[in-house]
Amino acid sequence: MPLRYLDHAATGPVRPEVVAAMAPYLTERYGNPSSHHTVGEQAAAALEDARARIAHIIGVRRGDVVFTSGGTEADNLAVKGLALGAMLRRGARHVVTSAIEHEAVLASCDHLTRLHGFDVTILPVDAGGLVDPDTLAAALRDDTAVVSIGYANNEIGTVQDIPALAAVARARGVPFHTDAVQAAGWLPLHGTGADALSIAGHKVGAPQGTGTLVVRGRLPLEPVMHGGGQERGRRSGTQDVAGAVALATALELAEAERAEDAVQVAAVRDAFIRRVLETVPNARLTGHPTRRLPGSASFTFAGTSGEAVLLELERRGVVTSSGSACAAGSDEPSHVLVALGIPPEVAQTAVRFTFPHGLRMSLDDVAESVAASVRAVQSHG
């Protein structure tokens, strides 16, 4: 039985065009971009070309692009780096985030509290997962160092109004960071109004272990990795030239296809959601009904075991997940779903279906995947 992989919010395959673009920098063009000889300068030129291509997509200066090992490192550098930079510059020790952020953001906030005495305000969300700009405005203080609110949630797919939220922070002179890991390839990255933005390559067809933090150059950013001072002193370590080329190529391809792709995938997603809600009596859609990623459909199935449903789905040829891959194996209910007001025992029945970029899934495929879901829920209800 062929497997239908519907866990693309966790990761996806590397695109063939990306493999071809990065291959030379894994073989004959293998130089260290910090080396001052021909081989190193060749690598440095490729690195800076990739940096310029990413900057163009996001609408920033080339020097604003910092290469990282992925979204988690980018989030850590943004939250810790901007907070510590503001602390050293003006004594600020207050951070604002939301209750549904990725663990990389929330754990970074916890680190700032435990080791540096920061106060963290965690904003509530409504039943659809949205942060109210007025709530953000009320939370800001004179000593607020940074605000970090994700563009699109990895578990429920809810899309925040980042331009509105960023404008609130900007009006008070507070740097605003958004985790755009899930948004990249689905939503515009240009014109968000964010001062800092995180991306992970493996969500858009580049390899795992590639990513970037885009941070506007004049913001004080304290590094969290120390060493040789690469990336203008903001992230030490020998740069992954092949990974940078891969990320730039993947983002260009995703951006070129984004508008048409989003419409086509959203149509399949909507059909899938309708069929699940119509055929599974205890199914509840989680996240915002309309402000959601084109490829995201997430549900709770009250009265079932979420893990048992996942295993049964895979037995029936559908591979998916219960939520964030970073929290897989935890016995605790999802902090995201609990923040929406979903009871913990219901939150533990969650199943997340996430569709790929370039999806060419027929309505027959949708019907078969829904049928598998129905049988899996009935088997463990």
Side-chain angles (χ1 to χ4, degrees), residues 34 222-238:
S34 296
E222 186 67 14
V224 297
M225 292 182 63
H226 303 91
Q230 291 90 343
E231 297 297 292
R232 296 174 60 191
R234 296 169 297 184
R235 196 273 189 185
S236 290
T238 301

Side-chain angles (χ1 to χ4, degrees), residues 1 119 133 144 167 173 191 266 272 304 320-322 341 366 381:
M1 177 189 298
D119 184 17
T144 303
F272 185 86
T304 69
T320 184
S321 67
S322 58
V366 171

Side-chain angles (χ1 to χ4, degrees), residues 5 21 43 65 84 100 138 140 235 261 308-309 313 360 377:
Y5 179 80
V65 176
L84 293 174
I100 63 169
L140 296 178
R235 196 273 189 185
D261 204 20
V309 170
L313 275 168
R360 296 299 178 263
V377 171

Side-chain angles (χ1 to χ4, degrees), residues 8-213:
H8 286 267
T11 198
V14 180
R15 295 184 61 152
E17 306 97 318
V18 172
V19 173
M22 69 185 295
Y25 301 96
L26 296 170
T27 53
E28 68 267 19
R29 302 177 191 173
Y30 48 80
N32 185 323
S34 296
S35 297
H36 296 293
H37 49 57
T38 302
V39 179
E41 289 169 358
Q42 187 179 53
L47 184 72
E48 293 312 306
D49 177 68
R51 198 187 308 275
R53 291 157 62 192
I54 293 169
H56 176 73
I57 291 168
I58 301 173
V60 297
R61 297 179 302 176
R62 183 177 65 180
D64 295 343
V65 176
V66 182
F67 288 111
T68 68
S69 63
T72 290
E73 185 190 340
D75 283 347
N76 273 257
L77 179 55
V79 176
K80 296 176 187 174
L82 290 171
L84 293 174
M87 181 190 74
L88 294 172
R89 186 174 183 179
R90 54 186 179 88
R93 276 192 168 87
H94 178 232
V95 175
V96 178
T97 189
S98 89
I100 63 169
E101 296 306 308
H102 189 276
E103 290 84 354
V105 169
L106 295 177
S108 292
C109 290
D110 179 65
H111 170 92
L112 291 168
T113 298
R114 291 184 296 105
L115 273 68
H116 301 285
F118 274 73
D119 184 17
V120 177
T121 296
I122 298 180
L123 302 177
V125 295
D126 65 17
L130 291 176
V131 175
D132 184 348
D134 290 337
T135 303
L136 171 59
L140 296 178
R141 308 186 327 206
D142 291 341
D143 66 338
T144 303
V146 63
V147 174
S148 181
I149 298 175
Y151 197 167
N153 187 267
N154 61 319
E155 293 190 38
I156 58 176
T158 295
V159 177
Q160 303 290 344
D161 187 349
I162 293 301
L165 294 167
V168 170
R170 188 184 312 112
R172 292 288 299 273
V174 178
F176 184 93
H177 163 253
T178 190
D179 178 335
V181 167
Q182 296 293 333
W186 294 117
L187 304 172
L189 299 177
H190 192 292
T192 63
D195 299 295
L197 183 148
S198 303
I199 295 173
H202 70 114
K203 310 296 188 181
V204 290
Q208 297 167 10
T210 61
T212 184
L213 172 67

Side-chain angles (χ1 to χ4, degrees), residues 356-376:
H357 300 278
L359 175 68
R360 296 299 178 263
M361 193 176 187
S362 70
L363 292 181
D364 286 342
D365 286 331
V366 171
E368 289 178 17
S369 296
V370 171
S373 303
V374 172
R375 291 191 291 270

